[in-house]
Amino acid sequence: MALLRISRACRRFQTSHLSVSLTQSLFHSNPNPSPNQCLSLFHNSPTNPLKQSDRRCISNLVEAFRFRDFNSIRLVQSAGISTSHGIAEEEEKKNGDHEGDRRGPKSELSWIELYLPKQAQPYARLARLDKPIGTWLLVWPCMWSITLAASPGSLPDIKMLMLFGCGAVLLRGAGCTVNDLLDQDIDTKVERTRMRPVASGDLTTFQGLCFLGFQLLLGLGILLQLNNYSRILGASSLLLVFSYPLMKRVTFWPQAYLGLTFNWGALLGWAAVKGSLDPVVVLPLYLSGVFWTLVYDTIYAHQDKEDDLKVGVKSTALRFGDSTKEWVTGFGIACISSLALSGFNADIGWPYYTFLAAASGQLAWQIWTVDLSCRADCNRKFVSNKWFGAIIFSGILLGRLSS
């Protein structure tokens, strides 16, 4: 109700020609005014130029402030109303939602909350549609492989690129659904994950299973458009998808298992174009993706290392500890070397190696500059890997066109 009132009040503010100085004067005289003080200033000031309708707007706004909810403060700010002299900052500190804090980056309303019906929002969040970085990381190996399989001097198959793009959204969503269903007991104990739809109770386990079936059915429709060899190869990846969430319980190397799962598209993309696999090209490409995943997901895992210790799950972040940068540097070198070998075996043109050098610099920047003790910085470096994938894709595309 507070959010509804404050939203209405904010819309009224935007349509009226209210001077910002009035709001600033309110908080300048008292950085933490009570609701009654707010009402007294706006209703009783002799210089108050507000219309009666604006006064009602202020009343609704101040009444909503009684709840002092951080999200309400954010909605006021998004409407263009200044909450000066530390009110929002105090609320951020109180709720632990500031940069460098254990929660990581500041949370904001996503397009899911803004545009989707309320009933559909938990399902969209379950599929992580508001966090596309996972889809990028899944789709790039597919795009690399499809483009590498193109004939010399030719563009890649556009239909295949579109099919695999849609498939990546569905498969990533299905993987997240499986993960949340199997990990709901763990997610409730971890601060970063306790508000996920299944863990928080927004969706039941049965609803999650039904949604998983729906995603897999759509994915099957895409898979059936590929050749028989690719259908078998693609279906076999489901074994990895369904078993991956269990790996953190049994091994300190779940990131390696994620690499095997997330980069399956490096095999599948080539097979979809060629109808078979060429091991000297696709195996180094596949391994490069596995090493790449070990880099970015180890950095990502450092966000949760304290919580992982508490709940008893494993990760490479815990396995490597203070030696993390040395380990991921080795994985980065192995990734770039495997990409170079794959391109060489595919007889790709020289532009590829220029872009590979640029990608090496991007990966080195991540590893050397990441602050593994800062959750926000770990997340920033993790998200930046979409650009690493884009650089490699551009290199393969231009290298194939020039070969």
Side-chain angles (χ1 to χ4, degrees):
M1 180 62 71
L3 295 180
L4 179 60
R5 287 175 176 172
I6 206 165
S7 177
R8 290 174 177 172
C10 292
R11 286 198 297 269
R12 295 283 299 278
F13 261 151
Q14 289 177 320
T15 56
S16 67
H17 299 289
L18 176 63
S19 172
V20 179
S21 62
L22 288 174
T23 308
Q24 291 176 336
S25 65
L26 168 65
F27 295 107
H28 181 73
S29 60
N30 185 353
N32 193 18
S34 68
N36 290 334
Q37 288 173 321
C38 297
L39 289 172
S40 176
L41 174 64
F42 283 102
H43 283 292
N44 300 327
S45 173
T47 59
N48 183 7
L50 297 180
K51 300 177 182 179
Q52 185 63 31
S53 59
D54 288 327
R55 295 188 184 193
R56 287 197 300 270
C57 168
I58 292 291
S59 299
N60 290 336
L61 180 61
V62 173
E63 183 181 356
F65 264 110
R66 287 190 174 99
F67 291 88
R68 299 307 299 271
D69 181 78
F70 174 67
N71 289 326
S72 300
I73 300 287
R74 279 298 180 96
L75 284 174
V76 175
Q77 290 178 318
S78 69
I81 303 171
S82 171
T83 55
S84 59
H85 293 280
I87 292 181
E89 289 78 7
E90 288 175 10
E91 292 296 332
E92 287 184 7
K93 292 178 182 178
K94 184 188 299 183
N95 289 279
D97 195 16
H98 58 283
E99 186 169 309
D101 191 80
R102 296 177 68 249
R103 283 191 180 184
K106 297 179 181 179
S107 59
E108 296 180 355
L109 289 177
S110 71
W111 65 270
I112 288 178
E113 285 79 13
L114 292 173
Y115 301 113
L116 289 187
K118 187 175 182 180
Q119 294 83 354
Q121 290 179 15
Y123 295 99
R125 288 191 288 112
L126 183 59
R128 310 288 198 276
L129 295 182
D130 57 334
K131 298 177 180 178
I133 179 59
T135 302
W136 282 117
L137 297 175
L138 181 61
V139 79
W140 280 130
C142 305
M143 302 303 180
W144 299 348
S145 185
I146 293 171
T147 308
L148 201 59
S151 301
S154 302
L155 290 170
D157 189 323
I158 301 300
K159 178 184 176 181
M160 284 297 172
L161 293 177
M162 294 179 64
L163 284 175
F164 275 77
C166 295
V169 174
L170 293 171
L171 186 60
R172 190 267 181 131
C176 291
T177 303
V178 172
N179 183 81
D180 285 12
L181 289 172
L182 294 177
D183 282 356
Q184 54 185 296
D185 57 327
I186 295 176
D187 287 345
T188 57
K189 303 173 185 176
V190 177
E191 187 173 3
R192 185 177 61 83
T193 61
R194 59 189 173 89
M195 293 310 296
R196 286 177 175 174
V198 177
S200 65
D202 289 343
L203 292 177
T204 65
T205 300
F206 178 74
Q207 288 174 317
L209 287 171
C210 291
F211 184 56
L212 174 62
F214 174 71
Q215 292 174 98
L216 293 177
L217 184 62
L218 293 179
L220 177 62
I222 292 178
L223 192 62
L224 291 177
Q225 299 183 56
L226 307 180
N227 56 57
N228 290 332
Y229 189 93
S230 300
R231 292 172 186 173
I232 297 173
L233 189 63
S236 63
S237 68
L238 293 179
L239 296 174
L240 294 170
V241 172
F242 281 94
S243 57
Y244 161 69
L246 303 175
M247 293 299 108
K248 65 174 73 71
R249 294 170 169 86
V250 299
T251 178
F252 279 101
W253 293 85
Q255 280 69 30
Y257 202 83
L258 179 66
L260 298 174
T261 306
F262 246 52
N263 295 280
W264 199 257
L267 306 176
L268 188 58
W270 183 281
V273 175
K274 298 287 191 179
S276 62
L277 292 177
D278 186 351
V280 299
V281 176
V282 297
L283 287 184
L285 186 67
Y286 180 53
L287 289 176
S288 72
V290 175
F291 290 126
W292 179 39
T293 304
L294 278 164
V295 173
Y296 67 66
D297 208 52
T298 297
I299 292 174
Y300 183 81
H302 270 272
Q303 297 180 94
D304 297 329
K305 54 190 175 185
E306 292 88 359
D307 291 321
D308 289 346
L309 283 171
K310 292 177 183 177
V311 300
V313 297
K314 303 174 175 66
S315 72
T316 49
L318 296 177
R319 171 67 178 81
F320 302 152
D322 294 336
S323 301
T324 290
K325 289 201 175 185
E326 289 80 1
W327 278 92
V328 295
T329 297
F331 295 141
I333 294 172
C335 169
I336 298 300
S337 300
S338 298
L339 285 168
L341 179 60
S342 178
F344 177 79
N345 291 337
D347 295 322
I348 200 166
W350 65 266
Y352 171 70
Y353 300 99
T354 302
F355 280 83
L356 187 59
S360 302
Q362 201 278 342
L363 204 60
W365 166 78
Q366 288 185 53
I367 296 170
W368 293 344
T369 64
V370 65
D371 181 357
L372 296 174
S373 63
C374 176
R375 292 191 174 197
D377 194 50
C378 287
N379 189 68
R380 278 193 295 268
K381 296 304 190 298
F382 168 73
V383 171
S384 75
N385 280 277
K386 63 185 177 183
W387 300 115
F388 176 87
I391 294 169
I392 296 297
F393 174 75
S394 300
I396 295 174
L397 178 62
L398 294 178
R400 183 52 77 202
L401 289 174
S402 66
S403 61

